Amino acid sequence: MASETVQIATKASPDFVWDAIRDIGALHTRLVPGFVVQTELEPGARIVTFGNGMIVREPIIALDEDRRRLVWSAEGAGLSHYNASVQVFATQGGSQVVWIADFLPDSASEQVKCMMQEGISALKTTMDKAAETS
């Protein structure tokens, strides 16, 4: 099973970043606008439309308020398995955000890695901009 990890530091506070992450229906407005262009909620999951046109159903596995950690899986995009987590950690002057994904087939590594890097970059841009204006 392939695994990818991406992470960023942002000037935004951990509470601010976590509030945006935990708002699972607002990926396209609060967390990663442009990377995600639409998010629709359904019981226990969200339907995510990415900027590249890909649509994926993401069942929500866990939302851990104490650890500021969200876990989800994904159905679609040519993957036979996808499980991911994103977690927010407090740092001096901001936050560290870590996104880990495990998936099959292994041959999807380049595609998944590129999308994760694009997503975490959009998250950093959005959070840093919000930190500057607050």
Side-chain angles (χ1 to χ4, degrees), residues 25 27-29 34-40 47-51 54:
L27 287 171
H28 62 297
T29 57
F35 177 66
V36 171
V37 296
Q38 184 174 350
T39 311
E40 297 175 44
I47 308 300
V48 178
T49 303
F50 293 90
M54 182 172 55

Side-chain angles (χ1 to χ4, degrees), residues 13-102:
S13 74
D15 287 339
F16 185 85
V17 176
W18 174 242
D19 191 56
I21 289 171
R22 69 181 301 282
D23 189 357
I24 61 171
L27 287 171
H28 62 297
T29 57
R30 294 188 65 195
L31 195 63
V32 289
F35 177 66
V36 171
V37 296
Q38 184 174 350
T39 311
E40 297 175 44
L41 291 177
E42 63 178 40
R46 61 188 175 196
I47 308 300
V48 178
T49 303
F50 293 90
N52 64 8
M54 182 172 55
I55 299 173
V56 176
R57 182 176 184 275
E58 295 184 344
I60 304 302
I61 308 302
L63 190 112
D64 185 331
E65 297 285 352
D66 294 333
R67 293 172 50 203
R68 293 189 191 110
R69 182 173 183 259
L70 174 66
V71 180
W72 72 97
S73 61
E75 301 165 350
L79 300 174
S80 58
H81 173 81
Y82 181 92
N83 194 76
S85 66
V86 65
Q87 191 164 4
V88 182
F89 300 94
T91 62
Q92 179 102 11
S95 306
Q96 184 80 13
V97 181
V98 179
W99 177 7
I100 301 169
D102 300 313

